[in-house]
Amino acid sequence: MNKIRSIIQDPRSALFAVFAVTVLAYSNIFWNGFTLDDFDYIANWPLIRDWHNLPRFFSGFIPPDGQSAVYAPLKTVVHCVLYQLGSGLPWAFQLAGLLAHLAATSLVYRIALLLLGSRPVAFLSALLFGLHPVHAEAVTHMTAATDTLGVVWMLASFYFYIRSSSYSGEWEIGEKAAVMKTAEARHALRESAGGTRPQKAYVLAVIFAFLAVYTSELAMTLPVLFFIFDACVRRGAQGWNALCRRAAPFAGAVLSYALLKWLVLGEWTRSGYLHDSFYLTFLVFIKAAVKYAGILLCPAVLTHNHIISPGIFSFAPKDFNAAAVLSQSPKDPWTMASILVLAVFAAGALALRKKKPFVAFAVAWFFILLLPASNIIPGQIYFAERYAYASSAAFCILLAYGLYAGWLARPAGWGRTAVVVLVAGIAGFYLARTWLRNTDWHDQAAIYESAVRANRQSALLRHDLGVVYLYRGDMDSAVTYLEEAIWMRPNEAAFYFSAEQAYSALGQFDKAIQSLQKAVELNPEFAEAYYNLAGIHLHLGRDQEAQSYLAKALEQYRRQGRILEAGEALNKVLVFKAMNKK
């Protein structure tokens, strides 16, 4: 016990210990390959393959195919650097993600030390943050790992913003008497506040805020966080005007980014509201906000496509149950329960506003940094574990504070030993769960298999897993999952189109034709389905039917302005005509 205490009391030893177990938890990520949108942002994005494209990262920016309204110039710079460093291989992105996570963990330690003045609380905060399984998506998923760098800049900005505050009595945390010895608190505060003048710290906070906003849109609410921090934690004769002036440069960072994005892309949003309704979209966020708290408390079920509530998932509104979306109201059970939970959080924060201002602020911190994921500005994702990364710092510091307060409240002996065992159990569970979660990102099949296990309601996940098996050559598994997807959503033309490819590979041409005929019945403008029908009939020696479907494909390609596809179809038509003349 004395050895552990000496490690905790030495900041370098404490961080070394935290880094060691964190690296152990993530040591299996280097066997993983590209998954999901890694192919769009890394493997197949021509923009990042040439340093001469650097000016286009800021002006003349072209997002990856299928990723409209995405603009993050510094994130693109990082992608380019890592792509060149690793010759396009995953290891550079994986290493960068792990290093960014270690940097964020170090900042959580330093922020906790500044806010609470306790080395044990800072150590526990960093330990919980470094190992928390919810962070695996932000670290292991290579595209998300560059967003994690944006969160590092956010935390650095917050750290220096705190240091720019005066410790001469203008503000107080209020937890020192309950959490630690007064002498220890005074020493920690003197140590953490020294070394950087307030003016210099404030300038550094502004610089890191600009880096954060231009790397990740998750940093858009930094000005709100700083304003609430000053209003909630700092004390003294500071009026609202003074608070607004301190937050103004950070708001400037956000506004400059928003203006530049508009000038470059001509748009801010990636999609519209659910059923064109802000009201319905916001009700989804209310439930998602509570779910973020839930998976941080109990990270047992982790996936890239969560069930927010029955029939409503993390992304792809076409996959949602329309009735579940439209029937949302403050009176439905899921929404009502979520509103009640949020009300309890708000009431608790307000009740502790004066006695324990840090606790009140930490609750606000948690939910403020979730706002960029709220779809107030419409996006395509309604819930993602990686979006909890910045907010989870508040959760981990609060949990560490509670555990340490509980340890002090226990009598010496078995009582405190029980708390130590509890902490060890939590850390051990986090480490094992993170290790297992990393294996979900091994390849496309692994990530979709884990997602289907976690979300049995999504037809889209079954379809995507079927397509993965299709490209791997496992046609029997492909047919199984594609047929399940069709059974769940029988009116989705794309599902029948995918099933045809599996049936054709198995030589089941009658089923393949039936699938494509159903696809064009559901979507008469489905050019690819007509084209594949022509190919199957040609393979079966039915030249007349093949020519008929090929003509329909050519007509649809022309109507849709798809010149390359139309040219290919036209060549096939000309070949048919030449054959008929002979």
Side-chain angles (χ1 to χ4, degrees):
M1 187 67 71
N2 289 334
K3 180 64 174 177
I4 294 175
R5 187 177 291 111
S6 65
I7 290 174
I8 292 173
Q9 290 299 330
D10 178 19
R12 291 183 180 180
S13 298
L15 278 175
F16 180 82
V18 170
F19 286 174
V21 294
T22 301
V23 170
L24 176 62
Y26 286 97
S27 59
N28 59 340
I29 67 174
F30 297 98
W31 284 266
N32 294 345
F34 292 128
T35 57
L36 302 179
D37 48 6
D38 291 340
F39 295 101
D40 295 335
Y41 283 99
I42 300 173
N44 302 325
W45 195 11
L47 189 67
I48 65 171
R49 296 178 183 175
D50 190 343
W51 277 112
H52 293 94
N53 292 330
L54 184 61
R56 295 174 57 195
F57 297 170
F58 297 85
S59 178
F61 183 84
I62 300 176
D65 290 341
Q67 303 288 346
S68 62
V70 171
Y71 181 68
L74 293 184
K75 176 179 177 178
T76 308
V77 170
V78 173
H79 274 153
C80 183
V81 170
L82 296 176
Y83 187 90
Q84 303 300 327
L85 180 65
S87 301
L89 298 176
W91 70 265
F93 295 88
Q94 293 161 338
L95 180 60
L98 179 55
L99 292 176
H101 182 52
L102 294 177
T105 302
S106 175
L107 286 164
V108 168
Y109 178 91
R110 298 177 186 280
I111 289 170
L113 186 60
L114 277 176
L115 291 179
L116 294 172
S118 169
R119 289 175 178 175
V121 172
F123 169 77
L124 287 176
S125 300
L127 181 68
L128 296 171
F129 185 86
L131 292 177
H132 203 293
V134 167
H135 298 158
E137 181 173 289
V139 179
T140 307
H141 182 203
M142 285 168 267
T143 299
T146 50
D147 283 321
T148 301
L149 182 60
V151 177
V152 172
W153 305 141
M154 288 174 63
L155 293 173
S157 180
F158 185 35
Y159 170 70
F160 283 108
Y161 190 82
I162 299 171
R163 291 185 67 160
S164 73
S165 303
S166 172
Y167 284 84
S168 61
E170 285 188 31
W171 64 288
E172 66 177 357
I173 297 302
E175 269 70 22
K176 294 188 288 297
V179 179
M180 65 210 68
K181 295 179 181 179
T182 305
E184 178 189 353
R186 285 198 298 266
H187 177 76
L189 287 174
R190 282 197 302 270
E191 180 184 84
S192 58
T196 304
R197 293 180 179 180
Q199 297 88 345
K200 182 179 179 181
Y202 184 78
V203 171
L204 288 171
V206 172
I207 292 172
F208 279 115
F210 271 87
L211 290 173
V213 170
Y214 280 81
T215 303
S216 173
E217 291 188 358
L218 294 176
M220 298 286 279
T221 52
L222 267 183
V224 181
L225 176 69
F226 294 163
F227 183 88
I228 296 298
F229 172 77
D230 283 342
C232 188
V233 177
R234 299 183 75 204
R235 66 177 182 137
Q238 290 209 44
W240 293 109
N241 289 338
L243 297 179
C244 290
R245 283 197 301 271
R246 277 180 61 82
F250 306 96
V254 174
L255 292 175
S256 68
Y257 166 79
L259 176 61
L260 186 59
K261 180 176 180 178
W262 175 260
L263 292 174
V264 173
L265 299 184
E267 58 185 341
W268 283 314
T269 65
R270 301 187 66 183
S271 64
Y273 294 119
L274 283 173
H275 292 272
D276 296 322
S277 170
F278 172 79
Y279 170 71
L280 294 175
T281 304
F282 190 69
L283 290 180
V284 170
F285 171 65
I286 289 174
K287 291 177 282 192
V290 174
K291 189 170 183 67
Y292 280 117
I295 64 168
L296 284 168
L297 283 169
C298 182
V301 178
L302 300 175
T303 175
H304 80 285
N305 192 358
H306 281 266
I307 300 173
I308 298 174
S309 63
I312 301 175
F313 314 132
S314 294
F315 56 86
K318 286 182 64 176
D319 195 33
F320 297 179
N321 183 308
V325 176
L326 294 170
S327 64
Q328 292 181 106
S329 79
K331 296 181 180 179
D332 78 72
W334 286 90
T335 307
M336 185 182 297
S338 299
I339 292 173
L340 179 61
V341 171
L342 292 178
V344 170
F345 276 116
L350 290 173
L352 295 171
R353 167 69 179 84
K354 293 184 178 180
K355 292 184 178 180
K356 296 186 180 298
F358 167 72
V359 175
F361 166 69
V363 173
W365 172 0
F366 180 85
F367 290 105
I368 286 170
L369 294 188
L370 288 177
L371 288 177
S374 68
N375 283 278
I376 293 174
I377 299 175
Q380 295 179 330
I381 300 176
Y382 300 88
F383 186 93
E385 292 166 13
R386 63 184 181 273
Y387 290 166
Y389 192 79
S391 293
S392 67
F395 169 84
C396 292
I397 295 174
L398 271 178
L399 179 56
Y401 163 73
L403 290 169
Y404 189 56
W407 184 82
L408 286 179
R410 298 279 181 176
W414 67 268
R416 293 190 175 184
T417 301
V419 175
V420 172
V421 171
L422 175 61
V423 170
I426 294 173
F429 169 71
Y430 280 7
L431 192 155
R433 187 66 186 92
T434 297
W435 176 279
L436 290 174
R437 178 62 175 148
N438 292 336
T439 63
D440 291 343
W441 296 92
H442 180 68
D443 56 24
Q444 286 285 79
I447 193 63
Y448 280 113
E449 286 168 354
S450 68
V452 168
R453 288 194 300 269
N455 184 347
R456 297 288 181 180
Q457 299 180 21
S458 171
L460 180 62
L461 286 178
R462 281 174 163 73
H463 167 265
D464 290 348
L465 180 56
V467 171
V468 169
Y469 281 126
L470 178 68
Y471 287 115
R472 292 181 65 173
D474 186 350
M475 298 304 164
D476 291 330
S477 296
V479 166
T480 298
Y481 284 105
L482 290 170
E483 288 182 344
E484 287 181 4
I486 290 171
W487 178 80
M488 295 175 70
R489 280 177 54 196
N491 295 322
E492 185 58 54
F495 291 2
Y496 293 95
F497 181 79
S498 298
E500 172 270 320
Q501 297 176 66
Y503 290 137
S504 294
L506 291 171
Q508 300 176 10
F509 296 111
D510 288 342
K511 286 187 175 182
I513 291 172
Q514 291 173 8
S515 291
L516 290 175
Q517 288 175 338
K518 183 65 176 180
V520 297
E521 176 187 329
L522 293 169
N523 180 9
E525 299 179 353
F526 204 155
E528 289 82 0
Y530 289 120
Y531 192 86
N532 282 14
L533 274 168
I536 294 174
H537 283 293
L538 179 63
H539 177 77
L540 296 176
R542 303 169 185 172
D543 292 355
Q544 186 173 354
E545 291 89 341
Q547 186 170 358
S548 174
Y549 282 118
L550 191 58
K552 291 181 179 179
L554 176 60
E555 178 185 2
Q556 293 304 322
Y557 283 137
R558 284 174 170 170
R559 285 184 177 180
Q560 296 166 23
R562 300 165 65 181
I563 306 302
L564 294 177
E565 294 88 342
E568 184 177 350
L570 179 60
N571 287 334
K572 296 287 186 182
V573 171
L574 294 176
V575 169
F576 270 118
K577 288 183 178 180
M579 291 174 60
N580 290 336
K581 287 181 180 180
K582 293 180 180 179

